[in-house]
């Protein structure tokens, strides 16, 4: 894998700067809980609110609100939220819709240190290109929003543009299986496995950043 880019001098080494985007359901408590878990591991985490405080309990309600805002406006809000921290070299992360947004931002940011996708992916821009960007995806199997055919094509496309991708699947879990507030989706075992692997991924990014 190609060596990662140098980190701007003066920033703390040994931890990652992470921007974590919420799902189509908005900034639910599970997003704060995830951020707290990452902070406990020593990382800096920002959780932009793209919905101005609105949260939802069903995908249908969330998608209706998301559609009302529009993808371009959501991306604009996300870019503005991440911009103050991007020179630090961010790890972009997100849940479902937030993962889609995180992917779009990471592929457009040459300083990105990594991309952590939970429950979602996105289309790739035709001119997308990265230099060995580490990418980790966690997704249910099957997932109604991330079909096997789509994921196979996505994986190949990401490899072609230069990303270093690993995919983790969780049989029988619901779409947003890391959210304890969604009993129909939540899978405690899959959620714990996801965070264990994700924290290990962030550790490897730390090691690459510090040259360990």
């Amino acid at each position: 894998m190609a060596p990662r880019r140098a980190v701007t001098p003066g920033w703390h080494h040994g931890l990652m700067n992470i921007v974590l985007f919420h799902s189509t359901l908005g900034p639910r408590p599970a997003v704060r809980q995830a951020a707290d878990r990452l902070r406990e591991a020593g990382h800096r985490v920002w959780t932009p609110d793209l919905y101005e405080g609105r949260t939802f309990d069903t995908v249908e309600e969330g998608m209706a609100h998301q559609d009302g805002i529009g993808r371009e406006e959501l991306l604009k809000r996300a870019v503005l939220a991440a911009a103050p921290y991007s020179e630090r070299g961010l790890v972009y992360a997100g849940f479902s819709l937030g993962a889609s947004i995180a992917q779009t931002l990471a592929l457009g940011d040459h300083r990105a240190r990594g991309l952590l996708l939970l429950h979602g992916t996105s289309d790739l821009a035709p001119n997308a290109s990265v230099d060995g960007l580490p990418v980790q995806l966690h997704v249910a199997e099957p997932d109604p929003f991330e079909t096997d055919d789509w994921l196979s094509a996505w994986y190949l496309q990401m490899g072609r543009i230069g990303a270093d991708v690993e995919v983790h699947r969780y049989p029988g879990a619901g779409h947003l299986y890391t959210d304890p507030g969604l009993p129909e989706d939540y899978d405690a075992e899959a959620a714990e496995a996801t965070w264990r692997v994700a924290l290990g991924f962030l550790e490897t990014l730390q090691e690459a950043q510090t040259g360990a």
Side-chain angles (χ1 to χ4, degrees):
M1 185 175 115
R4 302 305 300 151
R5 305 165 194 83
V7 179
T8 305
W11 299 119
H12 293 277
H13 296 296
L15 53 79
M16 306 310 297
N17 296 291
I18 303 168
V19 59
L20 178 65
F21 293 105
H22 61 72
S23 77
T24 194
L25 300 182
R28 293 169 55 81
V31 180
R32 295 192 294 276
Q33 292 161 11
D36 287 344
R37 186 185 291 240
L38 295 170
R39 291 184 184 113
E40 287 168 8
H43 305 293
R44 281 197 192 88
V45 187
W46 295 274
T47 55
D49 178 0
L50 307 182
Y51 276 12
E52 300 175 325
R54 296 287 303 277
T55 61
F56 302 93
D57 293 320
T58 70
V59 169
E60 291 76 19
E61 291 174 320
M63 290 186 76
H65 186 69
Q66 169 190 329
D67 291 344
I69 297 171
R71 183 164 179 83
E72 290 306 310
E73 174 62 21
L74 285 171
L75 284 172
K76 179 182 174 183
R77 293 179 185 184
V79 168
L80 289 173
Y85 317 109
S86 62
E87 69 181 80
R88 306 181 183 205
L90 287 170
V91 175
Y92 290 91
F95 301 93
S96 194
L97 165 68
S100 169
I101 289 170
Q103 178 186 308
T104 300
L105 267 59
L107 298 188
D109 180 0
H110 70 277
R111 294 184 292 266
R113 310 297 304 179
L115 176 58
L116 176 60
L117 303 173
L118 302 158
H119 322 300
T121 60
S122 181
D123 294 319
L124 280 67
N127 60 345
S129 177
V130 293
D131 179 16
L133 179 71
V135 180
Q136 190 175 84
L137 169 65
H138 297 266
V139 65
E141 182 179 20
D143 186 306
F145 302 101
E146 301 286 326
T147 65
D148 290 350
D149 286 349
W150 163 258
L151 287 173
S152 296
W154 174 86
Y155 180 85
L156 291 173
Q157 286 179 299
M158 289 290 281
R160 286 193 196 105
I161 69 165
D164 181 9
V165 183
E166 56 182 81
V167 179
H168 299 267
R169 305 295 306 271
Y170 300 87
H175 173 61
L176 283 169
Y177 66 81
T178 58
D179 188 334
L182 299 172
E184 291 187 7
D185 278 10
Y186 182 57
D187 185 313
E189 186 176 349
E192 285 306 310
T194 292
W195 289 117
R196 184 171 60 250
V197 174
L199 288 170
F201 173 65
L202 293 169
E203 283 180 20
T204 67
L205 299 183
Q206 286 177 240
E207 291 165 2
Q209 177 170 274
T210 58

